[in-house]
Amino acid sequence: MTRIWNFSAGPAALPEEVLKQAQEELLNWHGAGCSVMEMSHRGKEFTSILEQAEADLRELMGIPANYKVLFLQGGATQQFAQIPMNLLAGRSADYIVTGSWSKKAYKEAQRIGTVRCAATTEESGFTRLPTAEEIKLDPFAAYLHVCTNETIHGVEIPAQRIADTGVPLVVDMSSHILSRPVNVEKFGLIYAGAQKNIGPSGLTLVIIREDLLGMAPLNIPTVMDYAVMAENGSMLNTPPTYGIYIAGLVFQWLKKQGGLAGIDAVNAEKARILYDAIDQSGGFYSNPVDPDCRSRMNVPFVLANSELDAAFLAESKAAGLASLKGHKSVGGMRASIYNAVSLEAVQALVAFMNDFAQRKA
């Protein structure tokens, strides 16, 4: 069976090399006589998988020794509550709202404690970043939360726009983690659901600076306490073992691509040719996001004639281009071009878009 070009926003494409290795090791991992899914999470075989995955992630991201890496469950959505549970400590926190996911994080945090909206771009349809003048920060906040890449609206915060505000910076990197080099020391806490750029759904990464551990009140559930999870090496309870195994294979695959610098160059080229196809279509296609904050992972676009949407989706699917329908909240189209989506896949999409525009204009 021919595999599709998969532009799904998540669960998303995985590297074919990783899938083939997992297939080969499915029944008998490295002579263990069983699948990773059947192993004791406390046995030496799985312990070696977990330790190697963490070591490779630390190498890829340059994670300093004073940060803990947690392999958790519950998705990034659970982190919307778990973060204020652990970090508010009776204080207030600031949230910058630049799209659907940061808005959800802000609303969930309101259920836990006192938080305030330091800036929002909702009135402009989440198509830009707030200006410096629009951001009103509390210098005494427990932390500042941002989403550095909004999957639905296609807004990404460039690395040079991330500044030290004097309070711990907490970031949702779910949809662009590992897509480019990042200075981990700028952040107090990084979190990401795995199902976009890391591995299968069911795994969540949390990278937290050690000085932010131990702040949770005693009345929160033990499994929600970062300090307890860190003390137990992410294994207070059974972790998502197979998800960790696949993530580890992805980390090894990324190292073969030249690490984050190598994949960054490929991602830049993929984004360039797709945005060029949109911008040079004579208005047939358009992207609503300000060019200085366009996402390189999630590219939303609309057709000037929305009556052609159904035909575009039907014909693209027939051509093997899958999951291009935009999120229901914004409509139109969206191509998610994560690390595992090849340059060849993006070239195939662009060729189809150009042909479709020529035939339907």
Side-chain angles (χ1 to χ4, degrees):
M1 178 181 175
T2 302
R3 283 175 57 79
I4 59 172
W5 300 121
N6 187 357
F7 298 96
S8 173
L14 285 166
E16 191 167 325
E17 178 182 324
V18 166
L19 293 173
K20 286 180 178 178
Q21 183 174 346
Q23 181 183 46
E24 292 169 0
E25 297 177 345
L26 181 63
L27 295 179
N28 184 1
W29 182 83
H30 294 205
C34 66
S35 170
V36 173
M37 287 184 282
E38 302 171 292
M39 290 177 178
S40 166
H41 62 293
R42 301 194 187 278
K44 64 178 183 179
E45 291 90 354
F46 182 73
T47 298
S48 71
I49 292 172
L50 178 62
E51 290 176 348
Q52 188 63 55
E54 179 174 339
D56 287 337
L57 179 65
R58 285 185 177 275
E59 179 183 343
L60 282 166
M61 295 185 68
I63 300 173
N66 64 323
Y67 283 73
K68 294 294 186 182
V69 175
L70 307 179
F71 295 92
L72 306 179
Q73 302 176 67
T77 299
Q78 178 172 300
Q79 295 307 310
F80 296 165
Q82 194 165 353
I83 287 164
M85 281 182 177
N86 278 267
L87 302 186
L88 273 181
R91 299 159 65 192
S92 175
D94 282 352
Y95 281 68
I96 294 178
V97 178
T98 53
S100 293
W101 292 110
S102 50
K103 182 178 179 180
K104 287 183 178 182
Y106 172 59
K107 285 189 172 182
E108 187 70 9
Q110 289 178 303
R111 300 166 64 93
I112 307 300
T114 302
V115 294
R116 56 188 292 274
C117 181
T120 179
T121 56
E122 187 165 13
E123 286 188 3
S124 62
F126 294 132
T127 58
R128 63 179 180 86
L129 295 174
T131 64
E133 293 73 25
E134 291 174 316
I135 301 174
K136 309 299 182 184
L137 297 176
D138 175 6
F140 303 105
Y143 62 87
L144 169 63
H145 178 283
V146 299
C147 177
T148 44
N149 189 77
E150 290 283 358
T151 319
I152 293 173
H153 292 89
V155 174
E156 184 170 14
I157 302 177
Q160 63 269 24
R161 293 281 296 269
I162 299 173
D164 181 10
T165 64
V167 303
L169 185 56
V170 172
V171 293
D172 179 356
M173 286 191 183
S174 292
S175 52
H176 74 158
I177 193 169
L178 300 176
S179 69
R180 66 184 190 186
V182 60
N183 182 359
V184 174
E185 290 182 298
K186 282 188 174 184
F187 309 103
L189 184 151
I190 296 168
Y191 68 101
Q195 66 273 17
K196 302 176 187 296
N197 246 351
I198 299 171
S201 59
L203 169 67
T204 307
L205 281 182
V206 171
I207 303 166
I208 182 170
R209 203 172 61 219
E210 288 180 344
D211 64 292
L212 297 178
L213 296 170
M215 300 169 60
L218 295 177
N219 64 346
I220 74 165
T222 304
V223 74
M224 300 288 278
D225 190 329
Y226 293 139
V228 175
M229 296 304 288
E231 183 181 348
N232 286 272
S234 302
M235 291 202 290
L236 175 70
N237 60 335
T238 307
T241 55
Y242 202 74
I244 293 169
Y245 159 69
I246 296 293
L249 297 185
V250 171
F251 301 156
Q252 292 169 18
W253 175 81
L254 277 169
K255 290 170 68 175
K256 294 176 186 176
Q257 311 311 305
L260 300 194
I263 204 69
D264 178 47
V266 177
N267 287 331
E269 177 63 9
K270 291 188 303 186
R272 184 193 67 78
I273 67 171
L274 181 50
Y275 281 115
D276 281 353
I278 294 168
D279 294 340
Q280 297 170 14
S281 67
F284 190 89
Y285 305 108
S286 62
N287 171 272
V289 180
D290 280 1
D292 66 348
C293 60
R294 283 175 165 179
S295 171
R296 296 196 313 183
M297 294 286 100
N298 309 101
V299 182
F301 60 95
V302 296
L303 280 66
N305 181 1
S306 61
E307 293 181 0
L308 293 174
D309 285 4
F312 181 94
L313 290 169
E315 292 186 27
S316 61
K317 184 177 181 180
L321 305 162
S323 302
L324 287 168
K325 187 175 183 179
H327 191 272
K328 61 183 179 180
S329 65
V330 295
M333 311 300 159
R334 174 178 54 176
S336 293
I337 51 175
Y338 301 124
N339 288 347
V341 178
S342 66
L343 179 59
E344 184 183 3
V346 178
Q347 290 169 334
L349 171 59
V350 167
F352 170 80
M353 290 171 64
N354 290 339
D355 175 69
F356 186 87
Q358 289 173 2
R359 291 186 288 108
K360 304 293 185 179

